């Protein structure tokens, strides 16, 4: 369950020492003994001591500030800027190469872009075989050449991360599949020139959740799925502190690229674009290409208070996952929107004689993924009354922004909030997250080493695992060692 007691992330630190010193200096200068009555040597020594003290304090602050923030920030930022510069130059080339590879596979093996065949292929391939088996099949199909593997399909641990063996890591850890035709799917709302830098490009921005990591991850997944569903370029939030992840002095600011292969997803998927906040602000914010949604006048980014600026230029749909489901029409145009509205009205009015849907109605009786739209909407609505439709007003907005506020907080699982009129699009979104939004190899390989160590310690090679929720160790009373947990269990 999501953390019900989120807390704002700790601030980046404030430099407050000089204020008391200045106050002290004013108090000393306004002392009851006039300075003119002091001997000149006493006055000189006094001012010298004050000056020396100030220099010492300022020097101490500067050293610590430089150590904690500047050195790490500059080194990480420099690497990131170089990486992004290289990535921006090569992204279209890599995507074009991947597109050509997919086209060759499509012509040779009859892969298709859309329709029932893509859904049938996906349903039949869910959780079929290990990652290595699936990759071997892809190599037979000409999709994976030597030295040009599908970057997200495999798991390489031995050479770069010290183990375990690649085959062992894939067997133990991989839960994803490589479905080539999925890479060709596009949202019906993606314009012909909706690619990065194109005339039809629109954006989705969001603020990371203020809770613990699982809440942050859930909100990011939801934003990513909606960005693709809307045909919008996903703008990643700037690097910042995440709640409970900022205690390491060497690395205490993060972005989502530190955890997920977002660049590879963008390269490998025809209909998904992602850029950094810096690129977005350079191209759109600082150039005056965005308007204040209240005044209609150009709003130029000043270089600070990024989220305040995004709230000014971005349309907030006011979607509350606790009250409504985010409903996406099957196509552009008013007819598809009216279809959703009519079906919702029929459900809530009890037109067919059934009461409002409840969660209990579907316990042990899940609705088939390809069921009629009304049945699927009933299940998704359970305990909620409204639908929040991606209507024409929102479709035309240049920027959609989701702030991390109480009534628009994306504290939900995307599959319990985002509803697609086209069931194939809904099924695709689940595969998209499962197969591609996985942790980077470094994290997966670390987990694989733990699994390997546990199996070696076990006499039979098997083990039972238990997930103990301890609130991310944010409360002292939850920080119990393994022996104490075993004793109390």
């Amino acid at each position: 369950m999501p953390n019900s007691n989120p807390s704002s992330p700790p601030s980046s630190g404030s430099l407050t020492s000089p204020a008391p010193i200045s106050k002290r200096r004013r108090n000393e200068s306004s002392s009851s003994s006039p300075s003119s009555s002091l001997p000149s040597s006493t006055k000189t020594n006094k001012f010298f001591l004050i000056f020396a003290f100030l220099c010492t304090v300022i020097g101490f602050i500067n050293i610590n500030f430089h150590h904690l923030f500047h050195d790490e920030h500059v080194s990480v930022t420099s690497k990131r800027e170089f990486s992004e510069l290289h990535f921006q130059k090569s992204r279209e080339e890599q995507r074009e190469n991947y597109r050509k590879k997919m086209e060759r596979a499509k012509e040779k093996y009859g892969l298709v872009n859309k329709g029932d065949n893509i859904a049938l292929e996906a349903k039949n391939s869910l959780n079929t075989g290990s990652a290595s088996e699936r990759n071997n099949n892809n190599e037979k199909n000409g999709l994976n050449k030597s030295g040009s593997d599908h970057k997200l399909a495999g798991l390489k641990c031995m050479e770069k991360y010290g183990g375990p063996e690649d085959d062992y890591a894939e067997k133990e850890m991989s839960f994803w599949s490589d479905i080539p035709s999925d890479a060709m799917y596009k949202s019906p709302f993606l314009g012909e020139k909706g690619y990065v830098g194109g005339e039809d490009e629109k954006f989705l921005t969001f603020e990371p959740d203020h809770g613990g990591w699982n809440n942050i991850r859930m909100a990011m997944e939801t934003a990513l799925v909606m960005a693709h569903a809307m045909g919008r370029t996903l703008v990643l939030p700037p690097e910042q502190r995440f709640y409970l992840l900022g205690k390491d002095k060497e690395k205490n600011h993060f972005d989502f690229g530190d955890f997920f292969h977002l660049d590879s997803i963008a390269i490998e998927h025809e209909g998904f674009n992602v850029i950094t906040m810096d690129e977005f602000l350079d191209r759109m914010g600082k150039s005056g290409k965005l308007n204040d949604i209240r005044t209609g006048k150009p709003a130029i980014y000043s270089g600070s208070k990024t989220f305040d600026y995004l709230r000014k230029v971005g349309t907030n749909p006011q979607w509350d996952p606790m009250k409504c489901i985010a409903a996406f029409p099957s196509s552009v145009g008013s007819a598809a929107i009216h279809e959703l509205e009519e079906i919702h009205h029929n459900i809530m009015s009890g037109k067919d004689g059934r009461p409002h849907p409840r969660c209990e109605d579907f316990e042990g009786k899940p609705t088939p993924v390809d069921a009629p739209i009304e049945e699927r909407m009933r299940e998704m609505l359970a305990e909620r009354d409204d639908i929040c439709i991606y209507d024409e007003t929102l479709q035309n907005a240049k920027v959609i922004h989701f702030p991390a506020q109480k009534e628009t907080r994306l504290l939900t699982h995307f599959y319990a909030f985002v509803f697609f009129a086209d069931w194939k699009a809904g099924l695709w979104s689940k595969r998209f997250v499962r197969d591609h939004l996985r942790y980077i190899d470094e994290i997966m390989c670390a987990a694989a080493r733990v699994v390997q160590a546990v199996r070696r310690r076990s006499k039979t090679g098997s083990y039972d695992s238990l997930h103990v929720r301890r609130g991310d160790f944010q409360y002292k009373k939850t920080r119990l060692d393994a022996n104490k947990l075993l004793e109390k269990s």
Side-chain angles (χ1 to χ4, degrees):
M1 290 179 63
N3 182 2
S4 60
N5 296 304
S7 175
S8 297
S11 64
S12 299
S14 58
L15 307 178
T16 58
S17 298
I21 296 169
S22 300
K23 184 176 181 181
R24 176 182 171 186
R25 189 171 181 179
R26 287 196 301 272
N27 291 338
E28 290 177 348
S29 65
S30 61
S31 174
S32 58
S33 300
S35 61
S36 59
S37 64
L38 295 174
S40 94
S41 60
T42 303
K43 289 193 292 183
T44 301
N45 290 338
K46 179 180 178 181
F47 288 126
F48 175 78
L49 290 173
I50 293 174
F51 177 74
F53 182 69
L54 282 170
C55 289
T56 301
V57 172
I58 292 173
F60 176 78
I61 292 172
N62 184 57
I63 290 172
N64 279 273
F65 182 84
H66 188 277
H67 173 69
L68 292 178
F69 300 100
H70 183 72
D71 284 349
E72 178 65 16
H73 177 71
V74 169
S75 61
V76 173
T77 302
S78 297
K79 292 177 182 178
R80 181 166 285 109
E81 287 177 348
F82 175 82
S83 176
E84 288 176 356
L85 180 62
H86 173 74
F87 178 67
Q88 294 298 330
K89 288 183 177 180
S90 63
R91 173 164 54 191
E92 289 303 322
E93 180 180 353
Q94 294 180 62
R95 182 176 289 168
E96 181 63 25
N97 290 338
Y98 193 79
R99 184 185 298 116
K100 290 178 180 179
K101 182 170 67 173
M102 299 304 296
E103 288 295 333
R104 289 195 298 270
K106 184 172 65 174
E107 292 175 2
K108 188 172 183 179
Y109 300 101
L111 296 177
V112 294
N113 294 349
K114 57 185 178 179
D116 294 335
N117 289 334
I118 196 172
L120 180 60
E121 175 191 350
K123 290 178 69 175
N124 291 338
S125 61
L126 289 176
N127 297 318
T128 302
S130 66
S132 57
E133 290 173 341
R134 292 190 295 268
N135 290 340
N136 289 337
N137 290 334
N138 290 333
E139 289 176 357
K140 293 177 183 178
N141 292 340
L143 298 174
N144 286 346
K145 303 294 184 181
S146 176
S148 61
D149 290 344
H150 190 298
K151 294 178 65 176
L152 293 175
L155 183 59
K156 307 296 183 183
C157 293
M158 179 54 70
E159 181 177 351
K160 191 172 182 180
Y161 301 111
E165 294 289 343
D166 294 345
D167 289 344
Y168 180 89
E170 287 191 5
K171 179 181 178 181
E172 288 283 7
M173 306 305 299
S174 65
F175 51 82
W176 49 84
S177 299
D178 182 10
I179 304 175
S181 54
D182 273 1
M184 309 297 289
Y185 176 73
K186 297 181 182 180
S187 164
F189 303 104
L190 179 65
E192 291 184 5
K193 297 183 179 180
Y195 49 81
V196 173
E199 296 177 7
D200 299 333
E201 185 182 21
K202 295 183 174 68
F203 305 90
L204 185 146
T205 60
F206 70 101
E207 301 171 23
D209 191 84
H210 296 321
W213 170 248
N214 197 49
N215 294 351
I216 295 170
R217 178 193 58 78
M218 286 164 53
M220 185 276 293
E221 284 184 354
T222 303
L224 181 143
V225 169
M226 290 196 297
H228 185 280
M230 295 177 183
R232 293 176 177 272
T233 295
L234 178 67
V235 181
L236 298 178
E239 189 176 64
Q240 60 194 278
R241 285 178 181 263
F242 286 160
Y243 180 51
L244 299 176
L245 296 181
K247 295 182 179 180
D248 189 338
K249 292 183 178 180
E250 294 185 359
K251 176 66 175 175
N252 50 34
H253 283 64
F254 302 92
D255 60 29
F256 289 107
D258 291 316
F259 302 94
F260 302 101
H261 296 284
L262 295 174
D263 53 348
S264 296
I265 301 175
I267 291 171
E268 295 178 1
H269 279 78
E270 182 76 12
F272 178 71
N273 298 317
V274 58
I275 61 175
T276 64
M277 183 62 69
D278 286 341
E279 180 181 347
F280 172 73
L281 294 174
D282 286 341
R283 285 205 287 120
M284 307 300 297
K286 297 177 182 179
S287 60
K289 294 181 179 179
L290 301 176
N291 295 332
D292 187 315
I293 59 175
R294 288 171 288 276
T295 66
K297 297 180 180 179
I300 299 178
Y301 177 63
S302 63
S304 62
K305 298 183 178 180
T306 300
F307 290 141
D308 287 345
Y309 175 75
L310 294 177
R311 295 181 187 188
K312 180 186 296 185
V313 300
T315 298
N316 179 1
Q318 298 292 328
W319 291 354
D320 185 348
M322 300 298 106
K323 298 179 180 179
C324 75
I325 61 174
F328 287 86
S330 58
S331 63
V332 297
S334 58
I337 295 173
H338 293 328
E339 177 189 29
L340 288 172
E341 293 173 334
E342 182 178 1
I343 292 173
H344 173 253
H345 173 75
N346 292 341
I347 292 174
M348 301 312 296
S349 64
K351 184 177 180 180
D352 60 0
R354 290 184 289 179
H356 289 190
R358 302 172 304 166
C359 292
E360 300 82 51
D361 299 338
F362 305 97
E363 290 182 0
K365 297 176 291 184
T367 302
V369 295
D370 57 350
I373 183 172
E374 182 171 350
E375 298 307 312
R376 292 185 292 109
M377 185 183 290
R378 283 187 63 86
E379 182 182 45
M380 183 71 85
L381 272 172
E383 310 296 341
R384 289 173 286 197
D385 294 333
D386 299 325
I387 57 172
C388 296
I389 300 178
Y390 187 55
D391 57 23
E392 291 178 301
T393 299
L394 294 175
Q395 293 171 26
N396 292 327
K398 188 68 173 178
V399 179
I400 294 289
H401 179 66
F402 287 94
Q405 295 175 328
K406 183 177 180 181
E407 295 185 355
T408 56
R409 188 180 176 197
L410 297 178
L411 187 57
T412 182
H413 295 291
F414 74 90
Y415 47 80
F417 175 54
V418 181
F419 177 80
F420 293 90
D422 182 353
W423 69 269
K424 295 183 290 296
L427 193 59
W428 180 92
S429 71
K430 297 179 178 68
R431 297 196 307 272
F432 180 54
V433 172
R434 183 200 65 187
D435 296 342
H436 298 91
L437 196 61
R438 67 167 180 85
Y439 287 119
I440 58 176
D441 285 4
E442 183 177 4
I443 296 175
M444 297 299 298
C445 292
R449 290 194 295 274
V450 173
V451 172
Q452 187 179 51
V454 173
R455 288 198 183 281
R456 285 175 175 173
R457 185 168 181 175
S458 168
K459 294 180 180 180
T460 63
S462 61
Y463 65 92
D464 296 318
S465 60
L466 181 68
H467 180 197
V468 181
R469 289 298 300 269
R470 292 197 276 181
D472 297 325
F473 303 101
Q474 59 185 314
Y475 304 115
K476 187 176 181 179
K477 64 181 181 181
T478 66
R479 300 170 194 163
L480 304 178
D481 60 30
N483 291 330
K484 182 64 69 173
L485 280 174
L486 183 61
E487 176 187 329
K488 290 181 173 293
S489 62

